[in-house]
Amino acid sequence: MSQELSTSISHESTTGSDQTVALSVEPQEGPTELLPEPTRFALPVDSEHKAKTFKIFSLANPHMRSFHLAWFSFFTCVVSTFAAAPLLPIIRDNLNLTQLDIGNAGVASVSGSIFSRLAMGVVCDLIGPRYGSAFVLMLTAPPVFFMSTVSSAAGYVAVRFMIGFSLATFVSCQYWVSTMFNSTIIGSVSGISAGWGDMGGGATQLLMPVLYELISRVAGATPFMAWRIAFFIPGGLQLIMGILILLFGQDLPDGNLSDLQKKGDMTKDKFSKVLWYSISNYRTWVFVLLYGYSMGVQLTTNNIIAQYFFDRFHLKLHTAGIIATSFGMANIVSRPFGGFMSDRSARLFGMRGRLWILWFFQTLGGIFCIWLGFAKTLPTAVIAMVLFSLGAQAACGATYGIVPFISRRSLGLISGLTGSGGNVGSMITQLLFFSSPRYTTEQGLTYMGMMTVACTLPVAIVHFPQWGSMFCAASKDGKRASEEYYYSSEWDQAEQEKSMHLGSLKFAENSRSERGKRNEIIVSSTTPPFATPDHV
């Protein structure tokens, strides 16, 4: 069987043909494109040289190679960040940790990346995702190794804080795929990349107890020594991935950002401009809040779920780890499904469909989280946990099906702010409900679900003048209701005279698919599958 099989859906072209199941993700046809020329890309591309198809088992350079490097680098960092959680009953006894110490460590593990994700957003915009990913991987590997030397509660909290900086690779992962794939499939691709990365939260729940058992039984190490040795595995994976990204990664379809800037093919942007157009856009802050209660509740749950089942239902450590694994491992399908449904709804209803899908999944996740808090038996708790994970993770995929459209110029920083919102939400939730004896774990889960439902409501105020919102149609102002006006408005007159906004105009052209049924672009001729328009 060919290794080029893909797991996606062909999108309807603007001529109105029916959707069919296919072996690759195909975008809508764009505007008339004349005088095509051969290109060097293995996949068909648009006017920005972003891939129009997604072949999951391919390593085609640069698009699919970048995809695999992006998601696996994030995966290794998630494994490292939450590696302590499934071994907590052993670590707790070894270091004499109190409930307050455990809660503080959980908060520390996600609070460090609040700042690193913000920094990563700027690095991606100004330097590129390749260097950003590689440096974070290699700089945070030593703290993973240092976990083996921890001898006190303060040291444990400090090391988990430093390891948490590695979660900045989520931002580079999402930015990287956004620069490599067409807007009509970006929800699916970003959902798969982030979902497979987040899967590390489930994989570590299984991996670390297995490593612990092997080291204890095969190597004959004592329990208090075995858990320390186990941390060398995730630390080593980070170093390997950092080297692979430097050797084989590429920032953009046409090359690395620094090389393109030296050649004059791309201009260097100003940090002040990038910052302004991210923080002055109110949509940025809405999505910071929304992601705080989709990804935020996932990060919180990764820290407490194994201990919850271990203590509440008196399970063995390995058994509790296996059950907890299902929460994180659901990301292999749930987050990609959220991104896919975002793309599918956009095909029919445009951006308004994407917003409705996000509200639906995130609200559903909150409801099932409440149910998990009320669960009295093990089977009920497991079912509630799985449904909760499906809703929350699908909401994450749907979120990053929208984020790339908020701003073209400040994409990296907005991705970083949104990603940091997940960590802030997790930090607040853990401080409120899981860091003191005031609430039981099941009560904390119930209140966390209620906050999720409430904090999802602001999605209703997100409005794009060219596409509309959940309840309102697009602006009737012909000029302001165009994609070109929205994205070129991020560049002042002087910058436009220097042609610095051309990339935004190309993105605007390719984002017309977000009109949904209102898309009336007539395609009189199409670009051949492996060609790029001559005029771009």
Side-chain angles (χ1 to χ4, degrees), residues 290-419:
L290 291 170
Y291 205 62
Y293 284 90
S294 56
M295 174 50 66
V297 299
Q298 285 188 67
L299 295 176
T300 300
T301 306
N302 283 338
N303 271 326
I304 59 97
I305 195 65
Q307 183 186 359
Y308 165 73
F309 280 103
F310 181 84
D311 292 336
R312 180 165 171 76
F313 298 104
H314 309 293
L315 303 177
K316 294 181 179 179
L317 178 64
H318 184 64
T319 305
I322 291 175
I323 295 174
T325 296
S326 62
F327 181 84
M329 293 299 289
N331 273 291
I332 196 171
V333 293
S334 55
R335 184 155 185 162
F337 179 70
F340 165 74
M341 289 302 297
S342 180
D343 287 340
R344 178 176 171 81
S345 62
R347 167 182 163 268
L348 297 174
F349 307 109
M351 179 57 68
R352 301 178 70 182
R354 290 188 189 271
L355 294 169
W356 274 105
I357 285 293
L358 171 56
W359 173 83
F360 173 77
F361 281 131
Q362 192 153 321
T363 301
L364 204 63
I367 292 171
F368 287 125
C369 182
I370 295 171
W371 185 27
L372 176 60
F374 283 111
K376 301 297 184 183
T377 64
L378 180 60
T380 303
V382 171
I383 293 171
M385 181 198 68
V386 171
L387 294 175
F388 160 43
S389 69
L390 292 175
Q393 292 161 10
C396 291
T399 297
Y400 273 86
I402 301 171
V403 166
F405 298 100
I406 295 176
S407 169
R408 170 64 171 78
R409 186 171 190 176
S410 304
L411 171 61
L413 186 50
I414 291 177
S415 295
L417 284 166
T418 305

Side-chain angles (χ1 to χ4, degrees), residues 80-114:
S80 296
T81 300
F82 297 103
L87 300 179
L88 195 53
I90 306 300
I91 298 173
R92 178 177 58 188
D93 293 341
N94 188 187
L95 303 179
N96 297 315
L97 302 178
T98 65
Q99 183 62 34
L100 181 60
D101 295 329
I102 294 171
N104 288 338
V107 172
S109 68
V110 297
S111 58
S113 59
I114 294 174

Side-chain angles (χ1 to χ4, degrees), residues 267 491 493-503:
T267 58
W491 305 87
Q493 188 62 38
E495 291 171 329
Q496 292 189 30
E497 289 175 357
K498 296 177 182 178
S499 300
M500 295 176 68
H501 69 307
L502 294 182

